[in-house]
Amino acid sequence: MNNLMYAARPLLEDFFSTLIFLVLIALKVDVRIATAAAIGVGVLQLAWRVMRGQPIPGLQWMGLGLVVVFGTASLITHDVRFVMFKPSIIYVIVGGAMLQRGWMLRYMPPVAAGHGQEIMTLFGYVWAGLMFLTAILNAVVAIRFTSQWVAFAAIFPLASKIGLFVIQYVTVRAIVKRKILAARATEGLAQAA
């Protein structure tokens, strides 16, 4: 369970301000309050990292940037279709960022170092694909099935990401465990010879 929390924590930190914004919008909080709260949380996160002398990951900068840009756009347009379509734009941007080779390696627990880089890199591309799929589905639902958009937005994005996270965690854990055991067995044979 500690390894699961180790993997989930940075991802939640990177997108915390964006999640705050989306949750508040889903709860029908005034867009000005949702925007201010998300920007405030994002700035506090960055300030906390700076005060602790920690580097600020690119995804965390991007999360705050998305809240500022799209929150401001929501304030200017007051158009519900823009608010509904906006997650598609966010998913495309996030998916594009996730196409960077090896972006997921920082989420690996130390015990997996040297044993799971290939599978984590592959899952990075799978995550990008899920983001692009979610963008397309969100756009279709927002444009063609507007009355069902709230149900879609409340269920599919979160459920698909939780599902992929569980699949990835179980798969990577099994592969890394197998590789570690194989490496130990090889070392044991080499020492015996």
Side-chain angles (χ1 to χ4, degrees):
M1 187 61 149
N2 287 339
N3 289 336
L4 178 62
M5 292 310 296
Y6 184 91
R9 185 179 45 84
L11 193 59
L12 290 174
E13 286 176 10
D14 288 347
F15 292 105
F16 192 64
S17 62
T18 303
L19 291 173
I20 293 292
F21 181 75
L22 293 175
V23 166
L24 291 175
I25 291 296
L27 293 173
K28 299 190 186 314
V29 171
D30 183 80
V31 79
R32 292 172 295 205
I33 295 170
T35 301
I39 291 171
V41 166
V43 169
L44 286 173
Q45 278 184 290
L46 297 182
W48 179 252
R49 291 187 77 88
V50 167
M51 288 180 357
R52 294 176 58 199
Q54 297 175 325
I56 300 170
L59 284 176
Q60 201 164 15
W61 277 116
M62 188 183 67
L64 179 61
L66 290 174
V67 168
V68 171
V69 170
F70 291 115
T72 303
S74 295
L75 290 172
I76 293 170
T77 63
H78 297 291
D79 187 344
V80 71
R81 290 171 296 163
F82 177 78
V83 173
M84 290 178 174
F85 191 76
K86 179 176 50 180
S88 290
I89 298 167
I90 294 170
Y91 288 126
V92 167
I93 292 169
V94 171
M98 289 178 168
L99 288 175
Q100 179 183 1
R101 182 173 174 75
W103 72 270
M104 287 203 82
L105 296 179
R106 77 182 200 102
Y107 299 105
M108 287 179 59
V111 69
H115 301 287
Q117 283 80 349
E118 303 87 13
I119 190 70
M120 284 297 280
T121 299
L122 176 64
F123 267 109
Y125 295 124
V126 173
W127 275 99
L130 178 60
M131 292 300 147
F132 294 133
L133 174 66
T134 305
I136 292 167
L137 292 176
N138 182 77
V140 168
V141 172
I143 294 168
R144 302 275 291 144
F145 307 101
T146 306
S147 61
Q148 287 85 28
W149 181 83
V150 171
F152 169 82
I155 297 168
F156 181 79
L158 183 60
S160 64
K161 283 148 195 67
I162 289 172
L164 180 54
F165 182 82
V166 169
I167 290 167
Q168 175 183 340
Y169 180 78
V170 170
T171 304
V172 170
R173 189 168 201 269
I175 289 171
V176 167
K177 188 175 182 179
R178 188 176 64 231
K179 285 185 174 185
I180 289 172
L181 291 174
R184 287 181 184 163
T186 302
E187 288 174 10
L189 289 174
Q191 289 177 355

